[in-house]
Amino acid sequence: MQNHVAKFSRVGFILSAAGAAVGLGNIWKFPYITGVYGGGAFVMVYLVTILLIGVSLLIAEMLMGKRGGADAVSNFQTEAPKGSSWAWTKAGYLFVIGLIIMTFYSVVIGWIFYYLYVAVTGLPTSQKEAEDVFNALYSNAPYLQMALHTLSVVIVGVVLVRGVKNGIEKVNVVLIPMLILILLGLMFYSMGYDSFGKALSFMFNPDFSKLSGEAIIRAVGHSFFTLSIGIGSIMAYAASLPKHTNIFQAGLWVAFLDTFIALLAGVVIFSFLFQFGGEPAKGPGLVFMSLPVIFSQLGGIGIVIALLFFLGLAFAGLTSAISLVEPTVMYLERRWSFSKGGAVFWSSLLYFAVGILVILSISDGFKESFTIGGKPLFDALEFAVDSFLMPLGGILIALFVGFAMKRDIVEGELLGHMGNTVFKIWYFSIRFIAPLAVLFLAYNALKM
Ligand code: PHE
C-alpha cells in the first residue's frame, strides 16, 4: 500500500513539473518556428540541443532550487562560496526575463480564449476561412486582443495572489495526459491522410542546406524556452521539493514529456496543414489556421474536441505563465518585503503595459510606430528571448553549478541518483559543453 502511495506521488510530481514546462512553447511556438525555419534541420538542432545541453541544464537548475530553497537572487548568493564575485551575487536577476516573456505570452493566451469562443460559435470550414478568422484577430482587432490580454493578466494575478498555485498545478495531473491523448487521437486520425508522410518528412528529414545561422540560434534558444530553463522558474518550483527527490529522474521525464508533446503537435499540425493545401511558414497563426479546419470537418464531436483542445492549451499556457511571473513575485516579497498583492500588482502592471504595445505592434493602423530594427515589437521580443536572453540565463546557471558551487555539494545531490559515469558526463556537459556552445552561438549571433 505504502509503495503504491509513494509511486503515485512520484508520478504526480513529475506531471506537475512537466506542467510548468509544457506550455504554448510546445503547441503554439514549436510548430510555428519549425515551419518558418524550414523543418527537418531545424528540428534536428532543437533535439540535439535538448539532449546535449537542455537536460543537463534542467537538472542543474533544479539542483540550485532544491538546495537554495529561495528566490533566484538569494540562491545565487547563498549557494556561492564565501567571497564570491559581484557577478555571481547579481546573476539571480535573470528572473526579469520571465516578465519579458509574459509581454507576448499573455497576448497569445488571449488568442486561445478567443478560439474557445470560435469553437462554440462556428469553426472555419476551409483553410482560407481559417486564415481570415485568424488574420482578422491578429491584425485587425487590437481592442479585443487588449481585453483578452487583460483577462489573462487577471487570471494569472488572482492565482498568484490567492496562493493557489499548488492547487492549480494539480490540474496538470489531468491536463498533461489529456493533451497527449487528444494529440495522439489527432495523430492517428491524420495517419489516414497522404499528407502524414509528407509531414513526417518535413519534420524529420533534415536538409542542412536550408539551415541558416538564425535558424540555429532560434532552435537552441527555443530548446531553453520550452524546458523553462534559465529564468529561475524551475528554481522557484524546485525550492519546495522534498530533500529525497530524485532530480535526475525528474529532469529526464520532464524533458521527455515536453519534447514528446512538441513533436506530436508538430506532426499533427503539419499533416492537417499539408492536407488542406497550406504552407508551413505561416508564422504565429499556424496552429490557429490548421487545426480548426479539421475540427470543423469532424462535425459535432469536432466541436467537443476543439473545446477540450483549446481549454487544455489555455490551461497549459496559464500554468506556464504563473511560473513565468512567480520568480519576480517571490523576489519582491522576500527581498523587498512587498505584500503578496503588491508584488503581484507591480509585476503584472509591467508586463501588462508592454503587452499593450506588443498588441499595437501587430495591429493595422498602429504597427508602423512600434517596430524595432524593422521587426514588430512582438517579433523583436520573441527573437530577443530566443537568441539572447534564455541562452544567457542558461549559461549563468551552467557556470554557477559547474564552477562556483563546490563539487562535493553537487556530487552529494546527484551521485546517488546518477551513478559515477553519468555524473561525470553531466558535469562535463554543465562545465564545458553548455557554456562553450552558448558562447559560440552568441559570437555568431553578434556577427549576424
Ligand atoms: N516552457 C514554457 C513553454 O514552453 C515557457 C516558459 C519559459 C515557462 C520559461 C517558464 C519559464 O511554454
Side-chain angles (χ1 to χ4, degrees):
M1 182 66 194
Q2 217 177 357
N3 209 357
H4 185 71
V5 172
K7 245 194 198 137
F8 175 76
S9 65
R10 202 189 73 197
V11 173
F13 161 66
I14 288 169
L15 285 178
S16 45
V22 173
L24 306 185
N26 306 63
I27 294 168
W28 163 69
K29 192 168 164 200
F30 170 72
Y32 118 61
I33 49 176
T34 297
V36 169
Y37 290 104
F42 176 88
V43 174
M44 191 73 102
V45 178
Y46 156 84
L47 289 177
V48 168
T49 317
I50 290 195
L51 212 66
L52 285 188
I53 312 179
V55 183
S56 304
L57 279 174
L58 192 63
I59 296 169
E61 189 170 337
M62 283 184 176
L63 184 147
M64 273 188 78
K66 187 175 156 221
R67 277 203 60 85
D71 60 282
V73 176
S74 309
N75 290 345
F76 270 101
Q77 291 171 354
T78 55
E79 295 309 300
K82 286 221 161 36
S84 272
S85 70
W86 180 88
W88 283 134
T89 57
K90 294 288 175 281
Y93 290 100
L94 47 78
F95 64 73
V96 173
I97 302 171
L99 294 190
I100 301 177
I101 295 177
M102 277 306 281
T103 61
F104 59 86
Y105 207 87
S106 166
V107 173
V108 181
I109 293 180
W111 298 349
I112 298 168
F113 291 158
Y114 178 72
Y115 271 82
L116 282 168
Y117 165 80
V118 172
V120 184
T121 52
L123 287 159
T125 50
S126 69
Q127 180 75 43
K128 166 87 180 56
E129 200 188 330
E131 287 176 19
D132 292 346
V133 171
F134 180 77
N135 287 331
L137 171 72
Y138 180 80
S139 43
N140 244 328
Y143 303 114
L144 175 61
Q145 284 197 61
M146 285 176 200
L148 296 165
H149 165 54
T150 310
L151 182 64
S152 132
V153 174
V154 170
I155 296 179
V156 171
V158 167
V159 171
L160 284 167
V161 171
R162 304 197 65 187
V164 287
K165 185 178 155 267
N166 293 343
I168 296 293
E169 260 160 15
K170 294 221 173 71
V171 174
N172 286 312
V173 175
V174 179
L175 197 72
I176 302 288
M178 180 182 102
L179 272 177
I180 293 182
L181 278 180
I182 293 185
L183 288 171
L184 275 178
L186 290 172
M187 191 191 78
F188 285 123
Y189 188 82
S190 68
M191 278 173 153
Y193 290 149
D194 302 336
S195 58
F196 183 72
K198 197 171 162 200
L200 285 184
S201 106
F202 177 72
M203 281 186 60
F204 299 111
N205 200 354
D207 173 358
F208 287 99
S209 65
K210 275 198 198 149
L211 195 66
S212 63
E214 183 176 317
I216 299 182
I217 290 166
R218 291 212 68 181
V220 173
H222 181 67
S223 48
F224 287 27
F225 183 92
T226 194
L227 295 178
S228 304
I229 292 167
I231 71 151
S233 280
I234 297 287
M235 233 184 260
Y237 184 76
S240 50
L241 284 181
K243 287 296 158 222
H244 62 267
T245 312
N246 183 341
I247 52 178
F248 171 54
Q249 190 190 45
L252 287 180
W253 266 106
V254 171
F256 168 74
L257 285 172
D258 191 84
T259 313
F260 182 64
I261 292 182
L263 293 178
L264 212 53
V267 170
V268 165
I269 287 172
F270 287 116
S271 296
F272 292 144
L273 190 79
F274 292 147
Q275 186 67 20
F276 296 103
E279 282 302 310
K282 289 222 181 304
L286 182 70
V287 59
F288 304 104
M289 293 173 181
S290 51
L291 294 187
V293 186
I294 188 67
F295 293 146
S296 79
Q297 305 228 332
L298 293 174
I301 186 79
I303 298 179
V304 177
I305 299 176
L307 273 175
L308 284 177
F309 175 79
F310 285 118
L311 209 60
L313 190 53
F315 267 105
L318 286 168
T319 48
S320 293
I322 291 160
S323 71
L324 281 161
V325 186
E326 212 209 354
T328 308
V329 171
M330 201 165 164
Y331 167 76
L332 289 176
E333 270 186 284
R334 289 180 186 231
R335 303 288 296 243
W336 289 87
S337 308
F338 274 58
S339 68
K340 179 143 233 107
V344 172
F345 179 80
W346 290 111
S347 341
S348 306
L349 190 65
L350 211 74
Y351 80 80
F352 169 74
V354 182
I356 298 290
L357 306 183
V358 163
I359 293 172
L360 292 176
S361 82
I362 52 173
S363 300
D364 288 345
F366 297 99
K367 57 180 170 208
E368 292 71 22
S369 324
F370 298 94
T371 55
I372 295 184
K375 282 187 170 81
L377 183 62
F378 187 117
D379 303 42
L381 284 168
E382 249 202 291
F383 188 73
V385 165
D386 279 357
S387 63
F388 178 64
L389 295 170
M390 301 291 297
L392 175 74
I395 201 175
L396 284 173
I397 289 173
L399 292 174
F400 189 82
V401 174
F403 293 99
M405 282 175 83
K406 292 225 172 63
R407 183 178 172 133
D408 50 348
I409 292 183
V410 176
E411 266 184 10
E413 287 289 335
L414 289 173
L415 210 55
H417 297 308
M418 280 180 168
N420 220 345
T421 316
V422 178
F423 178 81
K424 278 198 180 123
I425 298 173
W426 172 81
Y427 205 48
F428 185 76
S429 153
I430 282 298
R431 302 185 83 183
F432 303 108
I433 301 181
L436 286 177
V438 173
L439 274 183
F440 174 74
L441 275 178
Y443 172 73
N444 282 298
L446 287 177
K447 274 202 327 202
M448 252 168 39

